[in-house]
Coordinates of all heavy atoms in Angstrom, one line a residue:
T404 N 94.0 105.6 118.4 CA 92.7 106.3 118.2 C 92.3 106.4 116.8 O 91.1 106.1 116.4 CB 92.7 107.7 118.9 OG1 93.8 108.4 118.3 CG2 92.9 107.6 120.4
M405 N 93.3 106.7 115.9 CA 93.0 107.0 114.5 C 93.1 105.8 113.6 O 92.5 105.7 112.5 CB 93.9 108.1 113.9 CG 93.7 109.5 114.6 SD 94.8 110.7 113.9 CE 94.2 110.6 112.1
L406 N 93.9 104.8 114.1 CA 94.0 103.5 113.3 C 94.5 103.7 111.9 O 94.1 103.0 111.0 CB 92.6 102.7 113.3 CG 92.0 102.4 114.6 CD1 90.6 101.7 114.4 CD2 92.9 101.6 115.5
S407 N 95.3 104.8 111.7 CA 95.8 105.2 110.5 C 97.3 105.0 110.3 O 98.0 105.6 111.1 CB 95.4 106.7 110.1 OG 96.1 107.2 109.0
G408 N 97.7 104.0 109.5 CA 99.2 103.9 109.4 C 99.9 105.0 108.8 O 101.0 105.3 109.3
T409 N 99.2 105.7 107.9 CA 99.9 106.9 107.2 C 100.1 108.0 108.2 O 101.2 108.6 108.4 CB 99.1 107.4 106.1 OG1 98.9 106.3 105.1 CG2 99.7 108.5 105.4
A410 N 99.0 108.3 109.0 CA 99.1 109.4 110.0 C 100.1 109.1 111.1 O 100.9 109.9 111.4 CB 97.7 109.7 110.6
S411 N 100.0 107.9 111.6 CA 101.0 107.5 112.6 C 102.5 107.4 112.1 O 103.4 107.9 112.8 CB 100.7 106.1 113.3 OG 100.7 105.2 112.3
M412 N 102.6 107.1 110.8 CA 104.0 107.0 110.3 C 104.5 108.5 110.2 O 105.7 108.7 110.5 CB 103.9 106.4 108.9 CG 105.3 106.3 108.3 SD 105.3 105.5 106.7 CE 104.5 106.6 105.7
M413 N 103.7 109.5 109.7 CA 104.3 110.8 109.6 C 104.6 111.4 110.9 O 105.7 112.1 111.1 CB 103.1 111.6 108.9 CG 102.8 111.2 107.4 SD 104.2 110.8 106.4 CE 104.9 112.5 106.3
V414 N 103.8 111.2 111.9 CA 104.2 111.7 113.3 C 105.4 111.0 113.8 O 106.2 111.6 114.5 CB 102.9 111.5 114.2 CG1 103.3 112.0 115.7 CG2 101.7 112.4 113.8
N415 N 105.5 109.7 113.4 CA 106.6 109.1 113.9 C 108.0 109.4 113.4 O 108.9 109.3 114.2 CB 106.4 107.5 113.6 CG 107.2 106.5 114.5 OD1 107.4 106.8 115.7 ND2 107.7 105.4 114.1
F416 N 108.0 110.1 112.3 CA 109.3 110.6 111.8 C 109.7 111.7 112.8 O 110.9 111.7 113.2 CB 109.1 111.3 110.5 CG 109.1 110.4 109.3 CD1 108.0 110.1 108.6 CD2 110.3 109.8 109.0 CE1 108.0 109.2 107.6 CE2 110.3 108.9 107.9 CZ 109.2 108.6 107.2
D417 N 108.9 112.6 113.3 CA 109.2 113.7 114.2 C 109.6 113.1 115.6 O 110.5 113.5 116.2 CB 108.1 114.7 114.4 CG 107.8 115.4 113.0 OD1 108.8 115.6 112.3 OD2 106.7 115.8 112.8
V418 N 108.8 112.1 116.1 CA 109.0 111.5 117.4 C 110.3 110.8 117.4 O 111.1 111.1 118.4 CB 107.9 110.5 117.7 CG1 108.3 109.7 118.9 CG2 106.6 111.2 118.0
C419 N 110.7 110.1 116.4 CA 111.9 109.4 116.4 C 113.2 110.3 116.3 O 114.2 110.2 116.9 CB 112.0 108.3 115.3 SG 110.9 106.9 115.6

Side-chain angles (χ1 to χ4, degrees):
T404 57
M405 295 183 62
L406 307 179
S407 171
T409 302
S411 58
M412 181 176 69
M413 299 311 296
V414 174
N415 204 29
F416 279 111
D417 295 330
V418 167
C419 293

